[in-house]
Each structure stands twice: as C-alpha cells, then as structure tokens.
Amino acid sequence: MLTRLLVGAVALLPSSVHAIWPIPKEFTSGDNVLYIDQTVEITYNGASVCWISSPNPSCPDREFVDSEILMGQLPYTYGYAPPPGPKCKDKDIVQAAVSRAFEAIFQHNFVPWKLRPAHGDWEPDVYAKDKGRVESLTITHTVNDDETCYKPLAGELDESYTFELTKNGAATIEAQTSVGVLRALETFIQLFYQHSSGTSWYTEIAPVSIKDEPEYPHRGLLLDVSRSWYPVEDILHMIDTLSWNKMNRIHIHMTDSQSWPLEIPAMPKLAEKGSYGKGMTYSPADLAHIQEYASHRGVQVIVEIDMPGHIGSVHHSYPDLIVAYNEKPYHWWCAQPPCGAFKMNSSAVYDFLETLFDDLLPRLAPYSSYFHTGGDELNRNDSMLDEGVRSNDTDVLRPLLQKFLDVNHGRVRKAGLTPMVWEEMAIEWEQNLGKDVVVQSWLGGDAVKNITSKGYKVIDSNYHFWYLDCGRGAWLDFENGAAYNTFYPFNDWCGPTHSWQAGYSHDPRAGLGEEQAKLVLGGEVAVWSETIDPLTVDTIVWPRAGAAGEVLWSGRQDASGTNRSLVDAAARLAEMRERLVARGVRAAHITELWCLQDPDPLACQHAL
Ligand SMILES: *[C@@H]1O[C@H](CO)[C@@H](O)[C@H](O)[C@H]1NC(C)=O
Ligand SMILES: *[C@@H]1O[C@H](CO)[C@@H](O)[C@H](O)[C@H]1NC(C)=O
Ligand SMILES: *[C@@H]1O[C@H](CO)[C@@H](O)[C@H](O)[C@H]1NC(C)=O
Ligand SMILES: *[C@@H]1O[C@H](CO)[C@@H](O)[C@H](O)[C@H]1NC(C)=O
Ligand SMILES: *[C@@H]1O[C@H](CO)[C@@H](O)[C@H](O)[C@H]1NC(C)=O
C-alpha cells in the first residue's frame, strides 16, 4: 500500500518516469496506458505505408509498390535501407527509419523492472478487456530534400518536430524535414516498454504532446581510428548509437602517426604500408558506405587528416616528406610516440597534399560539408630537423604554417567543403583563418571565449569534461628506476575519469556574451583510442556520451533558465542505458539497482 502511494506521488514529479533522452524542449504527458502492436496503420505524407501483417494488405497507393514487397510482405525485422548512392529520397529515409523504429519497439525492447519498485505491482494488466492501443501513426513533413543526401552546414537543416499521441491512440509526427521525422521516431520508440508476458508492448503516459528542436546544430563524437583499428561495422554501430541519442556528427580522426588506415587509390602505398595490417584499411567503397549509412540516420561524417603534426605514418610510404618520425626522447618532438611531422618548406609536401586532396575530397563532398585539417600539438622542434627550415623559432614557423593552411584550406573550399581545425592554429599559432572555418576547442579554460572573441565559429570538446578516454591509466611503459618513480602510480595525462555528471555540467556557452555565444555551433565528445578498441568502446563511451548529447540537444538550462538537475537526468539516463542495452550497446551501468528501484527519486541524493 505504501509503495503504491509513493508510486502515485512520484508520477506527479516532473519527468522522473518520463524517460525521454534527450529531454524534449516542451513535453506534457498523462497517465493512460496504451498498447502497441504490429497492426498500427502508418501513413506518410498522406499515403499509406504498408506495414508487415497490416489488416488491410492491399495497399492503395501504387507509388508504394516496392515498399509493399519490402515492408508489406516480409517480416518487420527485415531492415529496409534506401538504395545505395548519394541521391536519396525523403521517402526512402523515412521508410527505413520507420522500419528501424518498429524493430526497436518489438525486437529490441525491455521490461523496466530495474526502474520500478522491487516486488511492486507496477505492470499494466495485459489481459484488460478494454485496453486501448495505438491505432495509427501519421507522419508528415513539409520540406522535400533536393535528392542529395543530407550534408548540412551547421544551422542549415531543420531538425525540429512535433509529436502527439492522443488518449485514443492516434499518433502524429510533423516535421519540416525527413531528419526531423527521424528525431521524432527516436522519441516515439522511447515511449514503449515490453511487457513481461513477452508479447505485448505498451506506454503508460498517454496522452503525450511534444514540441522539440535542438539547442545546437553540431552534436558529435570524435572516433580515433588511428590508435586502434575499428572495422566498418563498429563504426556503423557507433553511428546508430549516436542517432538514438539524437547526435548528428561523427568526426573520424582517420590518420595519425600511429597508423594510416585510409586507402587513397592515387597513392596506394599510404595504406599498404601505413595501416596495422592487410585488411585493416578503409576502401573507397567502405568510406562511401559509412557516409551513406550515416546520412540515412541524420548523421554527417566529418573526416580528419591531422596535419602538419600527427602525420608520422606517412613516413612508411613517403619518408622524404616527414621529419622526426620515431625520434627519441619522444617528448622533445611530439606529445606521444612515434612522432612525425610534415616538412614545412617543401614543395614535395604540397604536391603530395594536392594528390591526396584531389583523390579524397571529391569522394567526401557528396555526403559532407566539412573536412578537418587537424593542427593540434605541433611541436616547434620538429622543424629543427627539416633541412628546408632548421629552426624552432615561432616567428620563422608562423608564416610557413600560414601558407600551409591557406593552400590547404583553399583546396578544401574548392572541393565544396568547409575547413575545420584544432584550436592551436587560432590561439597558440595565431593564424589568420577564414571566418568560415570551424575551430575545434579542446584545452578548456578561456579557449572558447578566446576563439569566439576573434570572430571564429567554434565547437567545444573541452577535455576536462568531454574527453571520454581520460582517467583509465597510462598507456606508455616505465622501466624500473627514475621513470618508474616519476610516473608512479601511472595515471594518464587527463584523469580522473570524467563522470557523466561532469559531462552533463558542462555548458559550452558559459560566460559568453550573446554575440560570442552565437558562434558556438555545439560540441563533440572525444574517444581517443590509445586504450580503447571495438571490444571496450561501448562501455567506456555510453551512456556518458549521451550526457553531452542532452546538453547539446536540450541545452544546459531548461526553459526557465535554470540549470538542469542531475537528479532528474539520472533517472532518465538510467532508463536510456537500459534502452541502449536492449538495442545492442554494451553501455555502462550508472548506479546501483537499489537507487533505481526506489520510487523516491531523491533516494540516492547526496544531500548536504
Ligand atoms: C625542444 O628540444 C629541447 C631539447 O633540445 C627541449 O629542451 C625542449 O623542451 C623541446 N621543446 C619542446 C616544445 O618539446
Ligand atoms: C624555404 O626554402 C627556400 C628555398 O627552397 C629558402 O629560400 C627559404 O629561406 C626557406 N624558408 C625558411 C623559412 O627557411
Ligand atoms: C629550440 O631549440 C633549442 C635548441 O635545441 C632549445 O634549447 C629550445 O628549448 C627550443 N625551443 C623550443 C620552444 O622548444
Ligand atoms: C587568447 O590567447 C592568446 C594566447 O594564449 C592570448 O595571447 C590572448 O590574450 C587571448 N585572447 C583573449 C581575448 O583571451
Ligand atoms: C549552472 O551551471 C554552470 C556550469 O554549467 C555553472 O557555472 C553555474 O554556476 C550554474 N548556475 C547555477 C545557478 O547553479
């Protein structure tokens, strides 16, 4: 009895059981139960989408004849995907998203026992005679795409949507773009649980009314595929998980001094010699597949070739272009072995880059609006070893670097892409960048303020909050003696681990005036892979990346300008974690079950 009373009281508290992650901008809900099954009638822009064992299998709309075969007659587990190629249609995008959404609801759902009182009587009665059901899902969007896959510049794509679910089971999604529909479908999925009977699915919060849009246009994750090798399927899995968190950029840190996995047909030696081994490369077909897969999920792939430092792996194929490869002691030449930087006054380097860009950029441009040219951690000493320079003087190096950036960025723009760089180019090296350039900040402190004060656009990856690799120990080795004693107990450089709470507390616009705040396009969490690989990445990254994801989608503050509460977020994040696990992500557990099962949302509050 006491439990029931408490449950009733909890239901009145804002969003403690309304587990939408990230939280919508406007959200109201009720307490009616509705079941959903596979006969729900789906219409898209006025036309009926034939669905699995639809009660009316004669689909009236001839335009959907193909989809009848794909969606009307095959089981819904069949993963409909848009046809390959850079021209994709809204209808295909939406149809595939509907296919995935229903697969998530019926195939990859969960019984929420971890989030409900132990031994409590919280499950709706599956045998109730008058049980209501979701009868229809009506999807409309008003803007048609131009038959190119989505590759918006920040701010160009409308991702907003409204969602209604009436008490009588009529669900409606309205959006401007098909990507808005994708975001709405991810919200829709999160309304439903599996019943412990195994063959029923229900929501308990009808009616629902949502009006939603992202706070920031750039909500991303950086995946370093140079320190560890990630097979294509693992990258696709990461893209899926990002889209479930309404994140929309995957920044692939493609090459570094450790390896060069990217096949460049004009220079096959690069990957043949620079990768970790045969087969551990990305072919042009692999890259196109990753890009298409991402764009079908409203995610844009941004490729980075880091330079002029962090490029040592080119040494294996073009040794004449590189200085300081594997130079010792490494810390005089770079931040981590094996070092390696481009020669800064070499026409051969410029020729190499022309060939590289001519090969790569036209392949990226159909699917992406950005290309990242790196620029972090350039060590001045490297050019001491460069016979064309022989200096580590900033005043000598700065103009060489400026020319390097100007030429490269000119080529990037000519290919129809917008350049991105790491913050050192703007701050430490004081380079003149175009105002189109997006600067990626990582060093924290006043960096975002500094960069925006120069009028540059910025995305924030402050390592004190959003580097998800930090705090798990050193990856270098220490021989007995001085090194052992100096570095004991062998931490990494950026620990401790940044908890989801720390990530959630970070506001990329904090302390900025209005004009400067407008230049903050969003942010990226970073997954540097020295001690992370495909086997461990899920657990290290999720659900923590989603904490940044919610800040970037929903904003650090709510509509009244109040910082969002960790207590409120914790309940929803714990639920999102269960949903991610049900959808095949080995996401970490965020708190003990006792806290989750206690109906008092403040049960595990650490009060002062
Ligand atoms: C450059 O090398 C010298 C030793 O020659 C070293 O003392 C100095 O710290 C190095 N500079 C950097 C930025 O690593
Ligand atoms: C770059 O190389 C040219 C000759 O190729 C030389 O004249 C020039 O001084 C060099 N620049 C620097 C900064 O060393
Ligand atoms: C430049 O090189 C000299 C000589 O090796 C070294 O003493 C100095 O620390 C270096 N400067 C920087 C900024 O690394
Ligand atoms: C930006 O950083 C540079 C280099 O640290 C510094 O000289 C400059 O004063 C900073 N500018 C602002 C506005 O913070
Ligand atoms: C809101 O959070 C920011 C950090 O995101 C912090 O600097 C600020 O003090 C907080 N404001 C309040 C009123 O707690």
Side-chain angles (χ1 to χ4, degrees):
M1 194 59 196
L2 181 62
T3 308
R4 284 211 157 266
L5 279 175
L6 275 172
V7 172
V10 170
L12 300 174
L13 287 170
S15 65
S16 56
V17 294
H18 302 169
I20 310 294
W21 188 277
I23 189 107
K25 287 286 178 62
E26 290 176 35
F27 180 29
T28 60
S29 61
D31 57 5
N32 286 274
V33 172
L34 288 178
Y35 288 79
I36 186 167
D37 60 38
Q38 293 149 28
T39 62
V40 57
E41 189 180 321
I42 303 163
T43 54
Y44 168 66
N45 283 352
S48 173
V49 176
C50 281
W51 184 251
I52 344 162
S53 49
S54 167
N56 175 14
S58 57
C59 234
D61 179 14
R62 288 295 96 199
E63 205 209 332
F64 280 82
V65 66
D66 293 340
S67 41
E68 272 177 57
I69 295 163
L70 288 169
M71 300 182 72
Q73 295 174 1
L74 292 175
Y76 60 83
T77 45
Y78 186 85
Y80 174 74
K87 286 180 187 293
C88 48
K89 292 190 180 144
D90 294 314
K91 191 195 82 185
D92 295 329
I93 298 244
V94 169
Q95 188 173 328
V98 167
S99 168
R100 293 192 302 270
F102 280 73
E103 186 179 327
I105 292 170
F106 300 123
Q107 295 274 300
H108 303 292
N109 213 329
F110 67 103
V111 177
W113 65 269
K114 290 184 191 171
L115 312 158
R116 301 290 184 268
H119 311 290
D121 181 16
W122 45 262
E123 216 171 24
D125 181 4
V126 72
Y127 301 108
K129 284 234 156 39
D130 58 343
K131 63 181 195 196
R133 53 181 284 276
V134 178
E135 306 278 347
S136 60
L137 173 61
T138 305
I139 301 170
T140 42
H141 69 89
T142 48
V143 177
N144 289 323
D145 67 29
D146 57 359
E147 295 229 343
T148 59
C149 270
Y150 290 104
K151 47 165 211 165
L153 283 170
E156 280 182 354
L157 179 73
D158 189 314
E159 296 176 84
S160 70
Y161 68 92
T162 59
F163 174 80
E164 301 284 337
L165 173 62
T166 68
K167 238 171 100 171
N168 301 327
T172 316
I173 288 172
E174 284 180 13
Q176 297 266 311
T177 66
S178 58
V179 175
V181 174
L182 263 51
R183 307 298 178 235
L185 284 167
E186 290 304 329
T187 299
F188 180 69
I189 290 165
Q190 292 183 18
L191 298 175
F192 300 100
Y193 304 109
Q194 181 149 2
H195 195 279
S196 60
S197 68
T199 50
S200 289
W201 299 268
Y202 65 94
T203 178
E204 24 184 23
I205 60 167
V208 176
S209 177
I210 291 172
K211 211 167 174 301
D212 204 8
E213 63 177 351
E215 184 76 13
Y216 295 92
H218 190 120
R219 308 179 303 279
L221 175 142
L222 174 156
L223 186 66
D224 164 17
V225 301
S226 175
R227 272 55 173 254
S228 281
W229 157 250
Y230 289 76
V232 170
E233 1 2 322
D234 293 282
I235 297 176
L236 303 184
H237 173 71
M238 181 62 82
I239 290 166
D240 279 323
T241 317
L242 287 167
S243 71
W244 302 338
N245 284 270
K246 297 192 174 75
M247 296 170 82
N248 68 355
R249 302 280 190 266
I250 183 165
H251 165 176
I252 302 182
H253 183 81
M254 188 61 95
T255 60
D256 209 300
S257 292
Q258 287 74 16
S259 79
W260 183 292
L262 184 65
E263 290 179 26
I264 302 295
M267 296 185 286
K269 280 194 296 179
L270 270 173
E272 272 168 29
K273 300 195 169 186
S275 63
Y276 286 117
K278 210 168 158 54
M280 288 178 222
T281 59
Y282 304 109
S283 68
D286 290 336
L287 186 58
H289 181 50
I290 291 168
Q291 291 181 291
E292 284 176 18
Y293 189 94
S295 56
H296 296 162
R297 285 153 183 81
V299 176
Q300 189 175 150
V301 177
I302 298 172
V303 170
E304 175 187 2
I305 305 285
D306 200 353
M307 63 181 99
H310 285 283
I311 194 90
S313 55
V314 170
H315 165 87
H316 304 296
S317 42
Y318 297 90
D320 294 346
L321 309 183
I322 301 294
V323 287
Y325 180 73
N326 212 10
E327 209 60 48
K328 302 278 169 57
Y330 80 85
H331 57 267
W332 286 359
W333 311 99
C334 70
Q336 102 191 46
C339 302
F342 272 137
K343 292 180 179 171
M344 291 305 297
N345 190 19
S346 153
S347 59
V349 167
Y350 282 92
D351 293 345
F352 169 90
L353 288 170
E354 183 169 21
T355 309
L356 173 69
F357 285 4
D358 282 353
D359 182 302
L360 177 61
L361 300 186
R363 292 192 275 122
L364 299 178
Y367 305 93
S368 186
S369 286
Y370 298 97
F371 180 73
H372 202 308
T373 61
D376 55 328
E377 299 183 318
L378 176 61
N379 187 304
R380 287 163 174 70
N381 281 345
D382 293 345
S383 291
M384 296 283 276
L385 303 178
D386 180 345
E387 69 279 0
V389 185
R390 296 266 182 232
S391 171
N392 66 359
D393 182 343
T394 302
D395 291 336
V396 173
L397 298 177
R398 193 179 279 137
L400 293 173
L401 192 55
Q402 185 70 58
K403 180 180 166 206
F404 184 79
L405 278 179
D406 289 347
V407 171
N408 287 341
H409 286 185
R411 287 174 178 159
V412 171
R413 291 187 187 99
K414 214 167 134 216
L417 295 155
T418 294
M420 294 179 67
V421 292
W422 289 103
E423 69 167 65
E424 287 95 322
M425 293 293 103
I427 299 184
E428 180 185 343
W429 292 91
E430 297 176 320
Q431 299 289 290
N432 289 316
L433 305 168
K435 287 291 165 358
D436 56 336
V437 174
V438 178
V439 178
Q440 184 162 16
S441 180
W442 66 285
L443 285 164
D446 276 344
V448 168
K449 201 168 189 173
N450 195 317
I451 296 161
T452 53
S453 76
K454 296 179 200 293
Y456 297 127
K457 299 189 180 82
V458 64
I459 59 166
D460 190 8
S461 295
N462 188 327
Y463 79 85
H464 298 287
F465 300 94
W466 286 357
Y467 269 32
L468 301 181
D469 51 301
C470 294
R472 289 174 10 276
W475 63 81
L476 296 176
D477 303 322
F478 307 93
E479 195 48 275
N480 283 343
Y484 182 102
N485 295 331
T486 302
F487 293 105
Y488 180 88
F490 318 115
N491 293 318
D492 59 39
W493 66 278
C494 57
T497 305
H498 308 312
S499 62
W500 76 261
Q501 293 94 334
Y504 197 76
S505 75
H506 182 56
D507 182 351
R509 290 191 193 126
L512 300 184
E514 201 178 318
E515 286 309 306
Q516 281 178 249
K518 279 188 203 151
L519 293 169
V520 181
L521 305 180
E524 291 179 359
V525 292
V527 183
W528 299 106
S529 292
E530 287 86 359
T531 62
I532 300 176
D533 76 358
L535 287 174
T536 59
V537 66
D538 269 3
T539 309
I540 293 168
V541 169
W542 301 105
R544 280 191 302 155
E550 176 156 302
V551 170
L552 293 168
W553 177 276
S554 316
R556 175 77 188 97
Q557 284 88 34
D558 65 17
S560 72
T562 311
N563 281 344
R564 293 182 190 282
S565 147
L566 288 174
V567 171
D568 174 78
R572 289 182 299 103
L573 188 61
E575 181 152 342
M576 182 60 171
R577 185 267 178 171
E578 296 310 311
R579 205 164 286 283
L580 292 178
V581 170
R583 296 178 86 176
V585 181
R586 291 181 167 265
H589 191 35
I590 69 162
T591 187
E592 56 194 18
L593 282 182
W594 184 85
C595 299
L596 297 179
Q597 287 197 329
D598 197 304
D600 175 3
L602 301 181
C604 287
Q605 180 183 214
H606 195 314
L608 287 179

